[in-house]
Each structure stands twice: as structure tokens, then as C-alpha cells.
Amino acid sequence: MNYSVRHNDYSISIFIVLCGIGILLFCFIAGCVDDSSSSTNVGNLTNVPANDVIIPVASPSSMTYTSNMQKGGIPSSSLIYEGLVIKDIDGKFDPALAQSWNVSDDAKTWTFHLVQNATWNDGAPFTCADVKFTNDYMKANNLTMGYVLSDVQSIDCPDNNTAVFNLVTPYSAFLDQISRTPGITISPEHIWQNINDPQHYQDSQMIGTGPFIFTQAVPGYYQYTTNENYHGRVPAIPGVVLKMITNPDSQVLALENGEIDVVSGITPAVAQSLSGNSNISVYSINDTGACEVAFNMAQYPANISAFRHAMSHAVDRDTISSIFGTGRPTETTFLLPTLAGNAVNPADVGMYNYNLTEAQKLLAAAGFVKNSDGVLIGPDGNPVTITIPLGSKGDAVNDKIIAVLKNDWAQLGISVSTVYYEDSTQYRKAANANPVFIDSFPVLLHDDADSLGNFAVTPLQETNYYNYNDPEYNSLVAQVKNTTNQAAIQEMAYKMQDLLAKDVPTVPVASTDTLVAYRTDRFTGWDIGPGYHSIMDPRVLENLTPVQSS
């Protein structure tokens, strides 16, 4: 599994966060849906059932890609397509297209027992052949999402309802790989087997097995109707309408005017302003994103262990957390306690306490000394200057984080500058050429022991974004992949976190929350509890109940 693709590329990190929404904005198709119940006109859409949920989306950019196999959606956030399993809020796995599964003792053979009543939207039955085809076709045609199944050597179908995955090497966390960001969705063989040029094919049919069916689109609007033949829990709502509203303030105004039903990602100030509206309620989806101050250990001075230790005490998590307006400081080495639970080593909590005096002592002991002008001179005899690459201009949060770092690091005698890169490839090169970078990531990549593989060097992952390469650490990652014993995995995860605390390849800073506002006079059930990270999650939409008009 190539963690460097999943986590280490800033542009991929941003894409992963957005791809759950992206799958919903696939392309334009024509048509309309009729419903015997009351209906309304939404913009240019006609005959839309009055109880369709109307959700705003901010960007049309995700409509440009060719197919689900090229840039597929997260299984837990895709309305149309499904994977085999979905990771649950407590770290366990829910059935999707697989109703049960088992793994061999060596974690190399995974057997999935498929649901027997699932059909594609066009009525064709779903079978193991679709699972095998998805794997084989993506790899044969070098399609983007094929990397998710890079650990799979082959898939066997002993019968229509059984899929046996034979892995190249043992992998105890294989369920994570296929279910979480970005995960993998299954595609219909009877559709794709006739597509000879999938690299350029624009899928206009979007035949899936999920709880919703994409039925019509007009400029600025996209509609999905509920799949009444869905093999799982059929939603109580007739469908979903996505309405293009690019400006966040306009989204909030549309919510207040009753034009849409929900807005995700509002600021605390907006949440406060909405508190006086009797028809609007606000809730928080905790721990949806996070950021870190990371080190490129191949670049001076980050290649000096004592420098990294010193700087780990020069990151003011409390102040930076307050910038986000939601969330809290992260005091662990990498995993988040609210998501990773007992996989977090409690001995390594609070290892990087903010203390500039301690940072200065550690720097001095390592040969970094201030001159008479207050400039920090490194062991190489030169002033210590740090250039931090950033992905793009106009990111107010990143700018504020940099402002905090500049102020604190200036007190240590370190000069900090920034360079912006609109092009993701250029940003990646810059991050690999500078000693410090700011990284943002979706927290679902940091919720269990398997996530610690981000720091490993393995035969399948020849480097990582931090250029961290510790033989003991690499060995532990390999051992975790080779065992299914949870107690043993926890023990090894603790050892890996001890090594991260000792070597400090990165300093996690904060986890952030997402505030959601919704119309209480339209639907109940939005806030179904912690762990569901998107209002697009079908399990959230399945939980909605229309409010009956008096």
C-alpha cells in the first residue's frame, strides 16, 4: 500500500477530503422524475418531490473527471456506489456489499460473503464477478483507483456470492484499505466490459447499487431519487437535490430563506448568528480534519534530531487551535485519541509541550547559539532560516498558523519565510526541498495502528514525505501487517509511537470540527452521533425523517 500517495502529497490530501462530495457531482445527464406525492419546482428542476433533501455544494470542479474508477468516492460518502464494507463510528466495520467476512491466520487471504439480494440500478444482479472485474479491469487499464487494491494479487469467485481476495503479502488492516479514505467502490462488469477506452470515457449512466439513483441534472442542480430496491435500509426521504451555491455566505442566506435544508462547514460566528432562528439548529461533527508541523528529515537543519526536539516545544497548539474556531490541540505523536482509542500510547501524550525556554536550551545544547543580534547561528556557522512552502495564496488559516510560528520562532532567533505554489507538483517538489512544511489531512487516515505506516519505508513504499527511515520502525510496520492479533498489534503500535516521540518526524498540532446548520422544520435526524464525518454519508441521509406539515 502506498501511503505516500494517500497522505504525503498535499494535493492528494485535499482531493481525498473532497472526493466523497466529488462522486456526487459526476456529470450531466438528462431526464426527470415524477412522483405521485406533492412536488415543487427547484430552480429549473421540475416535479421534485417536496420532501427531497436540498444540499448546497460549493464547486463544480469534481464534475470534470471521467469515471468512478478514475477518481472514485469514499464508500462511506457515496450515494450511488458501494464498497464491500464501511468503517463504523467505533472502529468496527459495517456490512455493505459484503454481509460477512473472514481472514486467514496469516492475514493473506480475505473471504467476503456477499449480500444475495443486491442489484444494480438497471436491474442486473450484483455478483462476485463484478468484484473480480473491478480489480482486474482497473489494473489492466492502469486506472487511478487501482492503487487502492495494489496489495491484491488476485480475486477468486468460488460462487456468485463469495469473493476471495488473495494478497501479495499479509495485511491485517486490509478492511481499512478498502473502506476508508479513499477506499474502493465496486463497478458493474456488464457496463464496463464494453468500454475500450476507460481513460477517456465519460460515464453518463452511473449504474450503482447504493441507496440513491442519479436521475436528472440541469445547470446548477443535480437530483438523486431513493433506490426503492436497495438491499439495505431504504431511506425515508424520496431523494436528494444538490444545489450549486459557491459562496459560503450565500449558502447560509439560502438556509435562512428555506431554499436549502442544511449547510456544512459554517464558522462559529455564523453558528452564533443563527442561534436566534427558531427553525434552525446547529451541531458539531467532531474531529473531521487536522494539521501538523512536519519535518523533512533529509534537509538541514531538520536532519538534526535535537533541532526537531527543540522545535517540537516551539509550536503553540492552543493559539493555533483557537485560529480554527473549532477543535482542540493534538498532544499525541500522530493518532487521535477520539478516533484511535486504545491504539494511542498514553505514555506519549503531551510529549511536545509548548515551552520556548526548553526549546532554546535544547537548541543551545545542539550547537545552535544566538549571536549578539539575536540571530540563531547553526552548527554550520550560518543563520538559521526556514522557508515553509504553502499550497496556495488566500488560505487565511494557513496564513495565521504561519504568523504564530513566525512570532515564536523569531524569539528563538529563527527567520521564517513562505513561498506559495498554486501548482501541486511544484508544491510537492518544494516540500521535499525544504526542512519544514505544514500539512493538512483527513483524520480518517489517523484513526488506528495501520495509519502509523505513513512513516515507514517498505518494499511497496520506498520513501515517505518526512524522509523518515528507522529500521526498527519499518520492522514493526511489517509485523503489524502480518498479524491479526489485536493485543499484539496494540503493543507494536505503542512501540511505534515511542519511536515517533523519540525521533519527532512531525508535530501534530490540532484536530478540527465541522459545524453544521440545518432546518428543523424540514427534517429530523441530521445529528446521529459522533463518527459520521459528512452530511453526504448515506447513513446520515437514511436517518432523516421529514417533518410533517401541520
Side-chain angles (χ1 to χ4, degrees), residues 33 35 37-38 48-55 79 210-213 223-230 233-242 261-262 519 522-526 535-548:
V33 60
D35 191 281
S37 61
S38 60
V48 175
N51 284 329
D52 268 14
V53 174
I54 305 175
I55 302 174
L79 303 187
F212 296 93
I213 302 171
Q223 185 186 19
Y224 303 79
T225 54
T226 293
N227 181 2
E228 298 296 340
N229 295 317
Y230 182 53
R233 179 184 176 185
V234 177
I237 56 177
V240 176
V241 171
L242 303 183
D261 296 315
V262 64
R519 300 284 310 194
R522 284 276 292 158
F523 299 94
T524 62
W526 284 106
I535 58 173
M536 295 289 195
D537 192 318
R539 293 168 295 181
V540 173
L541 298 175
E542 290 167 6
N543 195 59
L544 298 183
T545 301
V547 174
Q548 300 299 320

Side-chain angles (χ1 to χ4, degrees), residues 184 301 458:
I184 198 71
T458 69

Side-chain angles (χ1 to χ4, degrees), residues 173-427:
F174 183 61
L175 293 183
D176 276 335
Q177 174 75 341
I178 62 174
S179 67
R180 69 178 179 182
T181 311
I184 198 71
T185 55
I186 307 302
S187 297
E189 179 183 21
H190 67 285
I191 299 293
W192 284 93
Q193 65 183 351
N194 299 316
I195 307 302
N196 296 321
D197 185 14
Q199 293 279 3
H200 303 95
Y201 176 66
Q202 183 75 46
D203 184 10
S204 61
Q205 299 183 71
M206 291 185 291
I207 301 298
T209 59
F212 296 93
I213 302 171
F214 191 31
T215 54
Q216 69 164 324
V218 297
Y221 296 89
Y222 314 84
Q223 185 186 19
Y224 303 79
T225 54
T226 293
N227 181 2
E228 298 296 340
N229 295 317
Y230 182 53
H231 62 88
R233 179 184 176 185
V234 177
I237 56 177
V240 176
V241 171
L242 303 183
K243 180 177 182 179
M244 191 70 66
I245 305 178
T246 58
N247 183 277
D249 293 335
S250 298
Q251 290 186 3
V252 173
L253 181 61
L255 180 74
E256 292 180 296
N257 292 338
E259 299 171 20
I260 58 177
D261 296 315
V262 64
V263 174
S264 181
I266 63 174
T267 66
V270 169
Q272 180 63 33
S273 71
L274 294 174
S275 62
N277 192 316
S278 60
N279 291 323
I280 295 177
S281 184
V282 176
Y283 71 94
S284 176
I285 307 176
N286 293 338
D287 292 316
T288 53
C291 70
E292 63 185 9
V293 175
F295 299 109
N296 179 353
M297 295 172 61
Q299 297 292 334
Y300 174 85
N303 62 339
I304 300 174
S305 176
F307 175 83
R308 300 193 305 274
H309 271 274
M311 301 311 292
S312 73
H313 297 289
V315 179
D316 187 351
R317 292 170 183 74
D318 290 327
T319 298
I320 293 176
S321 295
S322 68
I323 292 171
F324 293 100
T326 64
R328 60 214 53 82
T330 299
E331 297 183 341
T332 55
T333 59
F334 194 63
L335 302 181
L336 298 177
T338 54
L339 297 174
N342 61 10
V344 175
N345 187 343
D348 296 326
V349 173
M351 293 294 295
Y352 314 129
N353 60 300
Y354 173 61
N355 188 327
L356 291 180
T357 300
E358 178 68 15
Q360 193 164 18
K361 289 180 179 179
L362 290 172
L363 286 170
F368 294 83
V369 182
K370 279 187 180 181
N371 64 15
S372 58
D373 296 323
V375 176
L376 189 69
I377 305 300
D380 64 349
N382 297 314
V384 178
T385 61
I386 300 293
T387 298
I388 301 178
L390 295 174
S392 62
K393 287 186 177 181
D395 189 327
V397 171
N398 270 350
D399 290 343
K400 290 178 180 178
I401 292 174
I402 294 297
V404 174
L405 295 180
K406 279 185 176 180
N407 179 69
D408 284 340
W409 293 6
Q411 296 182 54
L412 299 175
I414 299 173
S415 173
V416 176
S417 61
T418 57
V419 179
Y420 294 92
Y421 296 90
E422 296 292 339
D423 180 79
S424 60
T425 301
Q426 292 301 315
Y427 169 82

Side-chain angles (χ1 to χ4, degrees), residues 93-224:
F93 294 91
D94 285 339
L97 286 173
Q99 59 186 355
S100 63
W101 49 88
N102 53 274
V103 58
S104 60
D105 292 339
D106 64 359
K108 197 173 180 180
T109 303
W110 290 77
T111 302
F112 295 89
H113 305 283
L114 308 178
V115 294
Q116 300 185 27
N117 60 334
T119 59
W120 297 99
N121 297 155
D122 59 3
F126 160 75
T127 70
C128 176
D130 297 304
V131 180
K132 177 176 173 57
F133 173 82
T134 298
N135 174 76
D136 297 350
Y137 186 81
M138 285 194 299
K139 292 177 179 178
N141 290 280
N142 196 30
L143 299 182
T144 304
M145 297 308 295
Y147 85 87
V148 178
L149 297 176
S150 59
D151 296 279
V152 178
Q153 185 175 51
S154 63
I155 297 177
D156 298 324
C157 295
D159 57 59
N160 283 340
N161 300 310
T162 307
V164 180
F165 283 65
N166 306 298
L167 305 189
V168 177
T169 60
Y171 191 7
S172 62
F174 183 61
L175 293 183
D176 276 335
Q177 174 75 341
I178 62 174
S179 67
R180 69 178 179 182
T181 311
I184 198 71
T185 55
I186 307 302
S187 297
E189 179 183 21
H190 67 285
I191 299 293
W192 284 93
Q193 65 183 351
N194 299 316
I195 307 302
N196 296 321
D197 185 14
Q199 293 279 3
H200 303 95
Y201 176 66
Q202 183 75 46
D203 184 10
S204 61
Q205 299 183 71
M206 291 185 291
I207 301 298
T209 59
F212 296 93
I213 302 171
F214 191 31
T215 54
Q216 69 164 324
V218 297
Y221 296 89
Y222 314 84
Q223 185 186 19
Y224 303 79

Side-chain angles (χ1 to χ4, degrees), residues 40-67:
T40 185
N41 291 336
V42 179
N44 293 323
L45 291 177
T46 58
N47 297 325
V48 175
N51 284 329
D52 268 14
V53 174
I54 305 175
I55 302 174
V57 291
S59 172
S61 61
S62 297
M63 295 170 54
T64 60
Y65 62 82
T66 57
S67 73

